[in-house]
Amino acid sequence: MSTESTKDRVIIFDTTLRDGEQSPGASMNVAQKLQVALALRDLGVDVIELGFPVASQGDFEAVATVAGRVEGPTLCALARANREDIDRTWEALRAAERRRLHVFLATSPLHREFKLKMNQEEVLRRAVEAVRYARERFEDVQFSAEDAGRTEPEFLAEVVERVIEAGATTINIPDTVGYTMPAQFSSLIAYLRRHVRGIERVVLSVHCHNDLGLAVANSLAAVVEGARQVECTINGIGERAGNCALEEVVMALRTRHDFFGVRTAIRTERLYPTSRLLSNVTGLQVQRNKAVVGQNAFAHEAGIHQHGVLMHRGTYEIMRAEDVGFTGNSLVLGKHSGRHVLRQRVKELGYQLDGPQIDKLFEEFKRLADHKKEVFDADLEALIQGFIGPREQPAWKLETLSCVSGVGTVPSATVCLEHSDGRRVRDAACGDGPVDAVFKAVERITGQQVRLCRYQVTSVTDGEDAQGHVDLEVEAGTRRFRGRAVSTDIIVASARALLEALNRAANTTPLPVSSHDVPSMEVSA
């Protein structure tokens, strides 16, 4: 995209699959990443950052797989300023129709002294060499000056000017630790636009973190001063307190077009479905009072507010719920609904399932409909997670389960598991409650001793027949494994969630110990 065409257009660069996935508990497998990438494409995102290929073999394979399956947006991946990273990123993105390399190097005094052990001249040389080498492989090269917000403006301007000369097509200015105030950040962008020769030939980008709750404010302040790309994530997930929230910055630019005078290509009616999809994939729930996509975003409880909205919705609403795709907890299907209706609703919710997946989902839906009078969107989304979760062969499956619990009796559970080799093993245990008894019986059968780090039960929908969603995390040795399951019986859901975590632990190869310079995932450029 030429700089001429971006004067009134802000490019949306989504880094949910890279910086967002670095949020604790937000890791995704390849199938889940593909679902999110397809949803981002349908949302109208311009650039999707798929990951950090050199970080691990798994990350490389995820980037390569998604790069070969998603068409439309520019597909991007991150690399440090060295040839090994750049070559690895090229291999990962080779199948992409439109590809971009995102190369970064820290520039602030703190990072130069304590992380890089480099002086200004060495940093400048490394940045220029990396961009030149990258341009031998990529036509589209983005350079990020990590921790730019705490870098001396004069030195930052020098680095930016030199990497533009070396061939960078997009320059990203990150507020890596969320330290900068909006007035300071807008002044920094204005300074660069005044002092960097050739800056009019590139797209100026920003990447702001939310450590002080200012990521969106800083990003918007930069747009006022001429930044024409904003890096952001769905629901604002990311390192530490997260990133600039895509839905918030997009709706701010749309709602206050009179102030900003710029537009995006985002299909805003897909914002809420995409937010829900990511929340279901990662298990990171959106707070009720979250701007734009929270459950309370369009709710009015106070009588004076309700009266005002009834008279004229503009009295207390600056956005329409339908503009962001908010439909509430819609009843979608019943036990007599057909496969075609199910397929259409799945697509409307933002998921891309193939024929066999739809067939299997239809079976699960019919089974659920026999237990529930009303099946809501949230119920359907909970079922879908079973089709985009782990694809490895489980070592153990739950066959039968029964438990006894109550006042004046010792909680106990009897569990029968089926192993992948055909064995059925039954055992029983007592515990401090039915869930504890079930977990102890499962551990006895599998022979896997783990420590329960987190256990959470939430209701998928309202009502006595609602499904319970169990999300847990266990520690096995030095690693943690996550399990999730849904059922109208929370004891059954708990057992299945534990088994998912134990199966993941059993199927995971121990990490090799190596002196190789493995990149830290603490990357926020």
Side-chain angles (χ1 to χ4, degrees):
M1 183 177 297
S2 69
T3 55
E4 183 66 29
S5 64
T6 61
K7 288 183 179 180
D8 69 340
R9 165 99 137 76
V10 173
I11 298 167
I12 298 300
F13 179 115
D14 184 276
T15 184
T16 300
L17 296 175
R18 200 275 298 170
D19 198 318
E21 199 199 15
Q22 292 170 207
S23 177
S27 61
M28 294 171 258
N29 61 35
V30 176
Q32 291 168 334
K33 285 188 173 185
L34 179 59
Q35 286 292 326
V36 173
L38 291 170
L40 293 173
R41 177 202 64 189
D42 294 343
L43 180 63
V45 165
D46 300 289
V47 184
I48 303 175
E49 189 166 42
L50 300 179
F52 192 10
V54 78
S56 69
Q57 181 61 26
D59 213 19
F60 175 87
E61 292 173 357
V63 172
T65 299
V66 178
R69 299 279 297 277
V70 177
E71 297 179 351
T74 295
L75 302 181
C76 176
L78 188 70
R80 294 170 299 179
N82 62 58
R83 295 192 172 202
E84 178 186 355
D85 280 30
I86 295 168
D87 289 342
R88 189 71 168 158
T89 303
W90 166 253
E91 290 297 326
L93 290 175
R94 184 185 292 273
E97 179 185 24
R98 301 167 63 189
R99 48 186 171 261
R100 173 185 294 187
L101 175 75
H102 181 187
V103 61
F104 74 96
L105 185 65
T107 55
S108 70
L110 270 172
H111 282 243
R112 295 196 309 262
E113 180 179 356
F114 295 104
K115 188 178 79 171
L116 299 178
K117 310 294 184 184
M118 294 182 186
N119 58 33
Q120 289 187 353
E121 291 72 21
E122 291 172 314
V123 168
L124 188 61
R125 176 181 54 79
R126 176 74 69 85
V128 170
E129 288 178 351
V131 171
R132 282 178 178 162
Y133 185 73
R135 278 306 303 265
E136 294 177 9
R137 287 153 178 74
F138 293 86
E139 293 184 8
D140 191 352
V141 174
Q142 174 172 314
F143 176 81
S144 282
E146 187 182 7
D147 206 21
R150 295 189 294 176
T151 300
E152 308 93 322
E154 298 82 3
F155 177 60
L156 181 62
E158 184 179 6
V159 172
V160 169
E161 187 171 301
R162 292 288 300 278
V163 295
I164 291 174
E165 292 173 354
T169 51
T170 298
I171 299 296
N172 185 47
I173 306 300
D175 182 23
T176 300
V177 292
Y179 180 78
T180 314
M181 295 293 105
Q184 291 177 306
F185 200 59
S186 62
S187 295
L188 178 61
I189 299 300
Y191 178 89
L192 295 175
R193 282 173 56 84
R194 287 196 310 268
H195 292 87
V196 174
R197 288 176 295 184
I199 202 165
E200 70 282 354
R201 301 197 305 269
V202 301
V203 174
L204 193 56
S205 171
V206 290
H207 176 122
C208 300
H209 276 260
N210 207 39
D211 298 69
L212 292 175
L214 296 171
V216 172
N218 279 331
S219 299
L220 293 172
V223 169
V224 171
E225 291 299 334
R228 287 298 178 264
Q229 176 176 284
V230 174
E231 297 198 5
C232 42
T233 61
I234 300 297
N235 298 337
I237 68 170
E239 289 277 11
R240 304 181 309 280
N243 290 271
C244 171
L246 182 150
E247 61 278 358
E248 294 180 25
V249 75
V250 165
M251 289 310 293
L253 294 174
R254 171 175 166 155
T255 305
R256 294 306 311 274
H257 183 270
D258 62 313
F259 180 81
F260 292 103
V262 294
R263 59 188 176 86
T264 72
I266 296 298
R267 303 178 185 96
T268 61
E269 68 278 4
R270 299 299 309 162
L271 286 172
Y272 183 73
T274 307
S275 168
R276 287 280 304 169
L277 184 149
L278 181 69
S279 179
N280 285 318
V281 164
T282 63
L284 299 177
Q285 299 302 310
V286 176
Q287 66 194 62
R288 295 183 68 93
N289 63 329
K290 168 78 166 62
V292 181
V293 293
Q295 283 184 305
N296 292 353
F298 298 96
H300 302 279
E301 184 171 337
I304 191 170
H305 284 209
Q306 293 173 344
H307 175 73
V309 170
L310 287 174
M311 295 300 100
H312 190 290
R313 67 191 306 169
T315 54
Y316 290 103
E317 287 188 2
I318 60 172
M319 298 174 285
R320 299 186 306 167
E322 52 266 37
D323 288 342
V324 301
F326 189 89
T327 58
N329 200 26
S330 303
L331 177 66
V332 292
L333 297 166
K335 64 185 297 182
H336 300 296
S337 299
R339 187 180 273 99
H340 175 74
V341 175
L342 176 69
R343 183 191 300 273
Q344 180 62 30
R345 191 57 187 157
V346 166
K347 185 177 181 181
E348 290 171 357
L349 290 173
Y351 294 88
Q352 306 284 339
L353 301 185
D354 57 28
Q357 288 175 320
I358 287 291
D359 292 339
K360 190 173 182 182
L361 177 62
F362 188 67
E363 294 176 10
E364 293 292 329
F365 159 71
K366 286 292 188 180
R367 190 175 294 115
L368 177 62
D370 285 335
H371 290 85
K372 291 197 66 182
K373 294 179 181 178
E374 301 173 330
V375 179
F376 295 91
D377 283 349
D379 292 311
L380 198 56
E381 290 171 327
L383 291 179
I384 291 171
Q385 295 313 306
F387 303 101
I388 59 174
R391 293 191 171 184
E392 61 267 15
Q393 175 67 30
W396 295 97
K397 292 192 298 183
L398 181 65
E399 186 75 12
T400 62
L401 181 157
S402 64
C403 58
V404 177
S405 182
V407 178
T409 186
V410 177
S412 62
T414 301
V415 177
C416 179
L417 302 182
E418 182 181 3
H419 195 268
S420 56
D421 62 10
R423 289 181 293 127
R424 283 183 172 85
V425 184
R426 184 186 302 269
D427 210 331
C430 298
D432 185 17
V435 173
D436 186 46
V438 168
F439 282 11
K440 286 178 178 175
V442 168
E443 288 182 337
R444 285 163 63 98
I445 294 173
T446 62
Q448 293 175 269
Q449 299 297 314
V450 296
R451 185 175 73 88
L452 184 63
C453 304
R454 182 173 58 84
Y455 174 82
Q456 183 177 16
V457 180
T458 55
S459 175
V460 174
T461 57
D462 299 327
E464 295 178 356
D465 60 354
Q467 292 190 98
H469 180 278
V470 175
D471 190 334
L472 58 78
E473 193 171 39
V474 300
E475 186 174 79
T478 60
R479 305 191 65 178
R480 291 193 176 195
F481 300 92
R482 188 176 178 191
R484 290 187 290 164
V486 293
S487 174
T488 51
D489 185 328
I490 62 171
I491 307 300
V492 172
S494 298
R496 288 174 176 164
L498 178 63
L499 279 173
E500 180 179 298
L502 295 180
N503 285 327
R504 283 183 172 179
N507 288 323
T508 299
T509 304
L511 290 174
V513 178
S514 172
S515 59
H516 185 268
D517 180 24
V518 178
S520 168
M521 291 307 291
E522 292 286 336
V523 176
S524 303

